């Protein structure tokens, strides 16, 4: 005989045993002819739990019924369920709900990975110096949260407690990124979930960020690092070197496929690259000799009797990712970072991030390209951002200025001497000299 399912006398509370056993609560209502509902809430049941355990059949039913009754009473009293009122939420609950939306694909945008890791860090599910999370902050009721809980010099503010990867106080830029994620959670709660809630981060003020970075990788440092990178897979070495000589970002490098490489014109198409307008844009970059040599070597057929030239490789119709792991899979951006960090440590190079390769190359490009040309290569859509990456050596700049001024001074001296020589001639010789000079210029122009 089939054992009857457990029942509840409270409307909207059901027992389910398809999959993991649980009590489910469905709260539905109609207001002004419009049907609405809350997300289904589940209370897990463990058949082996002891009486009093949170997942015991009767305890889980009691909790489910209490939730359903509270929501119904709030509907009758305030015209909306308790869950849609701001005083029903702690920051932790908001963050967990948002994290659930991320993991179930209800939120899908470019920053979802950053948001996931930031929320996990705040909840204490991360690693490193912030692994303990921020319980005093996230366990506060949202109605009690103030801007000072996040920003300020108070001992318990997020700004005072947040650490960077080295254990030092987090910089203003890092803090603003975290605050941006939290603000987005409040915005979603209000606009998508229908929660009447106060957003303490409606306006983020008093945080000026100077994210210009002057660190470039010197030739000597690059030599030491590449020596240590030899301990890593060839695909990782090549991807890092390609980034070094093209100023491409990690994500742009690992997304490259062979059809994106134009061997004939020596260019690469970078797809869905970052832009200031938050839109994914494609851009074409030139491949300098060092970068072209990398892709030409990687494109060589395994059975080729002799190396093929770039023009011959163009006719092969190659497919798949350009940079792969030892198992032939597309290289991950994090793999590049990990290899770089370990190689720098072994080489004794301090304070160099892999993104500094981009600074380094942009600074080099700025020496012989106009700012607009270099920005087109680097993918910067505004020069203000570009100049945060362009870090010219003051000594080299001074030498260029001196050379330019010497050149101008030399021209001025030559002009004065020519003028003096011409002035000393009689009118006929003066006219003949001018005619001869014009004829010489015309012959030179024709020769070019």
């Amino acid at each position: 005989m089939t054992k009857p399912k457990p029942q509840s006398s409270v409307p909207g509370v059901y027992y389910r045993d398809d999959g993991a056993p649980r009590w489910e609560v469905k709260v539905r209502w109609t207001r002004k002819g419009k049907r609405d509902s809350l997300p289904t809430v589940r209370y897990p049941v463990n058949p082996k739990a002891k009486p009093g355990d949170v997942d015991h059949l009767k305890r889980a039913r009691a909790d489910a019924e209490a939730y359903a009754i509270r929501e119904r009473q709030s509907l009758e009293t305030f015209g909306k369920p308790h869950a849609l009122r701001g005083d029903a939420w702690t920051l932790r609950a908001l963050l967990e709900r948002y994290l659930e939306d991320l993991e179930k694909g209800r939120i899908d945008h470019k920053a979802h990975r950053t948001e996931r890791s930031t929320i996990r860090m705040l909840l204490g599910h991360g690693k490193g110096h912030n692994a303990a999370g921020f319980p005093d902050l996230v366990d506060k009721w949202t109605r009690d949260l103030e801007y000072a809980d996040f920003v300020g010099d108070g001992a318990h503010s997020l700004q005072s407690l947040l650490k960077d990867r080295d254990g030092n106080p987090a910089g203003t830029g890092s803090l603003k990124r975290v605050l941006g994620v939290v603000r987005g959670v409040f915005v979603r709660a209000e606009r998508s979930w229908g929660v009447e809630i106060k957003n303490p981060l409606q306006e983020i003020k008093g945080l000026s960020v100077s994210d210009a970075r002057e660190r470039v990788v010197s030739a000597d440092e690059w030599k030491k690092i590449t020596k240590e990178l030899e301990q890593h897979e060839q695909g990782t070495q090549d991807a890092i070197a390609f980034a070094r000589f093209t100023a491409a970002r990690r994500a742009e490098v690992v997304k490259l496929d062979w059809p994106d490489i134009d061997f004939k014109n020596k260019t690469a198409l970078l797809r869905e690259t970052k832009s200031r307008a938050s839109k994914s844009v494609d851009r074409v970059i030139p491949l300098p000799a060092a970068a072209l040599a990398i892709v030409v070597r990687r494109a060589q057929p395994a059975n080729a009797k002799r190396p093929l030239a770039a023009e011959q490789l163009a006719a092969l119709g190659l497919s798949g990712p350009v940079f792969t792991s030892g198992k032939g899979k597309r290289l991950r951006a994090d793999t590049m970072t990990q290899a770089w960090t370990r190689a720098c440590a072994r080489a004794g190079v301090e304070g160099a991030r892999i993104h500094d390769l981009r600074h380094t190359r942009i600074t080099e490009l700025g020496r012989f390209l106009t700012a607009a040309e270099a920005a087109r290569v680097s993918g910067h859509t505004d020069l203000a951002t570009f100049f945060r990456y362009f870090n010219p050596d003051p000594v080299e700049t001074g030498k260029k200025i001196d050379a330019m001024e010497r050149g101008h001074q030399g021209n001025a001296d030559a002009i004065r001497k020519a003028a003096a020589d011409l002035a000393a001639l009689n009118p006929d010789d003066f006219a003949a000299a001018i005619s001869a000079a014009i004829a010489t210029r015309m012959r030179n122009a024709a020769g070019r």
Side-chain angles (χ1 to χ4, degrees), residues 117-188:
S117 63
T118 298
I119 291 173
R120 287 180 58 81
M121 178 268 294
L122 290 169
L123 293 173
H125 303 323
K127 299 178 181 179
H129 296 281
N130 296 308
F134 303 86
D136 291 342
L137 174 66
V138 301
D139 288 332
K140 271 195 170 187
W141 294 99
T142 56
R143 63 174 179 264
D144 298 327
L145 285 171
E146 302 290 343
Y147 188 73
D149 291 316
F150 298 92
V151 180
D153 54 8
H156 300 290
S157 74
L158 181 63
Q159 184 173 13
S160 298
L161 298 174
L162 190 65
K163 304 296 182 184
D164 65 13
R165 68 183 65 183
D166 299 321
N168 299 315
T172 306
S174 298
L175 175 63
K176 286 195 75 170
R177 284 188 284 274
V178 173
L179 297 183
V181 171
V182 177
R183 178 171 61 183
V185 171
F186 276 94
V187 170
R188 182 168 179 84

Side-chain angles (χ1 to χ4, degrees), residues 53-69:
D53 288 350
V54 69
D55 53 355
H56 185 268
L57 177 68
K58 292 183 178 180
R59 168 69 184 278
R61 179 174 60 189
D63 289 344
E65 291 174 343
Y67 169 79
I69 292 170

Side-chain angles (χ1 to χ4, degrees), residues 51-109:
D53 288 350
V54 69
D55 53 355
H56 185 268
L57 177 68
K58 292 183 178 180
R59 168 69 184 278
R61 179 174 60 189
D63 289 344
E65 291 174 343
Y67 169 79
I69 292 170
R70 184 189 65 188
E71 298 305 319
R72 289 291 175 188
Q73 288 177 341
S74 181
L75 270 167
E76 293 175 3
T77 305
F78 301 102
K80 63 168 44 190
H82 183 70
L84 297 186
R85 293 166 50 205
D87 57 3
W89 295 82
T90 62
L91 178 56
R92 180 184 297 277
L94 282 183
L95 294 173
E96 289 175 343
R97 169 76 183 277
Y98 193 92
L99 187 61
E100 179 184 350
D101 282 0
L102 282 173
E103 292 178 344
K104 292 191 173 181
R106 300 182 190 127
I107 303 173
D108 185 20
H109 49 69

Side-chain angles (χ1 to χ4, degrees), residues 6 27 38 52 90 130 174-175 221 223 227 236 240 290 321 363 384 421:
V27 178
L38 292 177
T90 62
N130 296 308
S174 298
L175 175 63
E221 288 176 327
K223 184 177 179 180
K227 178 65 176 176
T236 305
I240 292 175
T363 297
D421 292 341

Side-chain angles (χ1 to χ4, degrees), residues 209-262:
V209 181
S210 175
D211 52 3
R213 184 169 166 83
E214 297 183 358
R215 183 67 160 95
V216 294
V217 179
S218 69
D220 183 58
E221 288 176 327
W222 174 244
K223 184 177 179 180
K224 292 178 180 177
I225 294 168
T226 51
K227 178 65 176 176
E228 295 300 331
L229 282 172
E230 291 176 2
Q231 298 186 28
H232 298 268
E233 293 180 344
Q234 188 63 51
T236 305
Q237 298 179 50
D238 289 344
I240 292 175
F242 186 89
R244 160 69 180 86
F245 294 110
T246 59
R249 302 177 179 92
R250 294 177 314 154
E252 296 168 349
V253 173
V254 298
K255 282 194 293 188
L256 271 174
D257 289 323
W258 284 115
D260 300 328
I261 304 297
D262 186 336

Side-chain angles (χ1 to χ4, degrees), residues 369-385:
L369 297 179
T370 66
E373 290 171 333
R376 292 283 288 183
V377 173
S378 65
H380 290 112
T381 54
D382 68 292
L383 293 183
T385 305

